[in-house]
Amino acid sequence: MSRLPSRAHTSLPWRIHAIAPDFRLEDVWALPTPGGADDFPHLVGLFTEAGGHAEGGSAEGGFITSPVARALFAIRWKLGALLGWDAPDAGLGARVPTLRDRLPEDLRSDVPPSRHPRFTAVYQTGDEWAAEIANRTMHGVLHVSWVPDGAGGHRGQLAVLVKPNGPLGHLYMAAIKPFRYLGVYDNMLGTIGARWQERTASAPRT
């Protein structure tokens, strides 16, 4: 896996810093998505179309393919249903306002629709795309960016920001941390890399 230090995200002038200053940075990952300077829209498309790859629109959005990781997600959604973590009154516009309410005027344009079953797009620029999720345990942000790779090209970068909801949220984030590193992120990044290769291989050449 290609986990990066926090400064790989915090040292760059992303708009998300001013939009979500009260969120903590949980993880930063280098994505296996090499490309050129103008390829960021293709990466955004990979994420906004992710739900279309999922079996029956599954909650993990199509990037989780291993049986073990899928089982972990199934347990999580079952617990959420039993405990009311994912009820409508626990989500965006109910328990917490959407981050779109915080956007400056120049970011308030429409963002591409997403087929991801859990995340709602917040904004998009030429090198940033952010989406959010909220439930009873936390309010989270998925931040995807396009950064120079140091070798004349570019690659994607994924940052996860969270705002835990009180003691329950802090306990929840601590409890799931080992599972994220042992079974989820490696599978997710591998799937993203494979889908990126498929996308770039089928793209028309100019």
Side-chain angles (χ1 to χ4, degrees):
M1 295 188 292
S2 301
R3 191 180 180 198
L4 301 173
S6 296
R7 65 179 179 274
H9 174 79
T10 58
S11 65
L12 296 175
W14 303 128
R15 303 293 298 272
I16 195 65
H17 299 325
I19 294 166
D22 49 337
F23 284 61
R24 79 183 189 206
L25 179 61
E26 193 75 11
D27 292 298
V28 188
W29 301 91
L31 297 179
T33 56
D38 299 326
D39 286 335
F40 184 59
H42 299 302
L43 182 61
V44 174
L46 201 66
F47 279 83
T48 58
E49 298 165 11
H53 290 280
E55 297 176 5
S58 61
E60 60 270 24
F63 285 144
I64 304 302
T65 56
S66 81
V68 172
R70 280 186 175 271
L72 290 173
F73 271 94
I75 293 170
R76 161 60 185 88
W77 304 132
K78 185 64 175 179
L79 282 173
L82 291 173
L83 300 175
W85 290 349
D86 307 308
D89 65 352
L92 297 172
R95 187 183 70 79
V96 295
T98 172
L99 289 178
R100 285 190 61 82
D101 293 344
R102 303 184 182 185
L103 295 182
E105 191 61 35
D106 67 310
L107 291 181
R108 288 183 177 273
S109 60
D110 291 337
V111 294
S114 175
R115 297 175 65 186
H116 197 291
R118 293 278 172 175
F119 283 88
T120 300
V122 179
Y123 71 91
Q124 181 177 343
T125 69
D127 55 6
E128 284 182 78
W129 176 79
E132 63 182 332
I133 183 174
N135 54 43
R136 194 75 67 191
T137 65
M138 60 87 196
H139 188 180
V141 176
L142 197 68
H143 183 266
V144 179
S145 56
W146 198 236
V147 299
D149 63 7
H154 286 69
R155 60 160 175 78
Q157 185 166 290
L158 172 67
V160 178
L161 299 92
V162 298
K163 187 176 183 180
N165 183 23
L168 170 64
H170 286 282
L171 180 62
Y172 171 79
M173 294 303 300
I176 67 172
K177 189 171 186 176
F179 299 102
R180 296 203 321 268
Y181 294 146
L182 291 176
V184 174
Y185 276 126
D186 55 348
N187 179 243
M188 181 181 73
L189 295 177
T191 304
I192 289 173
R195 297 242 171 92
W196 180 256
Q197 290 182 5
E198 294 171 1
R199 178 180 285 266
T200 55
S202 62
R205 306 207 178 257
T206 58

